[in-house]
Amino acid sequence: MTGAALGIGKATALLIAQQGAKVAITDINDKQGQNLTDEINAAGGVAKYWHLETSNEDNVQQVFSEVASEFGTIDILVNNAGIAGVNKPTHEITKIEWESLMNINVTGVLYLASDESKFVTGTELVIDGGYTCQ
């Protein structure tokens, strides 16, 4: 689960852990991600934290490999990581600001979907920003 440390990601991770899922908590917020992992494990669930920068394809591949090794399979992928970007008129957005937004919100989803497919066995459920596919 990407972007799992805070907000909707955290709430979703807690819910699926309560339903019995083993949860791979991934985020760039290491302290909050580890705190969530500890909370799930203390409640009797199973979770482990990985630092994941979704816009870094090598990091995505490494984390997916480690998650599959740790849990055996990946059955559900929740692509929750994303940023709102800068808050200013479009014509004032710099190329660097635009590329950061696109790399996390678009390219990162591509990396996750393509790398996830290498590790999924059986039926899968992928949730991308509110879109659900089976």
Side-chain angles (χ1 to χ4, degrees):
M1 166 162 218
T2 69
L6 302 167
I8 293 171
K10 179 179 179 179
T12 304
L14 289 168
L15 179 63
I16 64 175
Q18 290 169 357
Q19 299 301 312
K22 296 175 185 174
V23 186
I25 304 295
T26 69
D27 208 293
I28 59 171
N29 296 305
D30 296 330
K31 182 177 181 183
Q32 294 92 338
Q34 189 58 55
N35 288 345
L36 174 58
T37 300
D38 294 344
E39 181 179 347
I40 290 170
N41 290 329
V46 177
K48 185 170 179 180
Y49 176 75
W50 284 268
H51 180 92
L52 177 62
E53 183 70 47
T54 60
S55 62
N56 180 320
E57 187 173 19
D58 291 338
N59 187 215
V60 170
Q61 290 173 350
Q62 174 191 353
V63 169
F64 269 110
S65 178
E66 291 176 12
V67 169
S69 178
E70 178 76 20
F71 293 135
T73 63
I74 299 173
D75 300 313
I76 300 171
L77 172 62
V78 180
N79 286 337
N80 183 65
I83 61 172
V86 296
N87 185 16
K88 59 184 178 183
T90 304
H91 68 278
E92 294 178 10
I93 296 174
T94 67
K95 182 179 178 185
I96 291 172
E97 292 165 337
W98 178 258
E99 288 175 346
S100 175
L101 175 77
M102 297 306 286
N103 285 338
I104 294 169
N105 293 355
V106 179
T107 306
V109 171
L110 172 68
Y111 293 156
L112 291 160
S114 63
D115 288 321
E116 177 258 353
S117 67
K118 298 172 189 172
F119 297 100
V120 171
T121 58
T123 303
E124 68 174 305
L125 176 66
V126 180
I127 303 169
D128 290 313
Y131 297 98
T132 305
C133 309
Q134 286 185 315

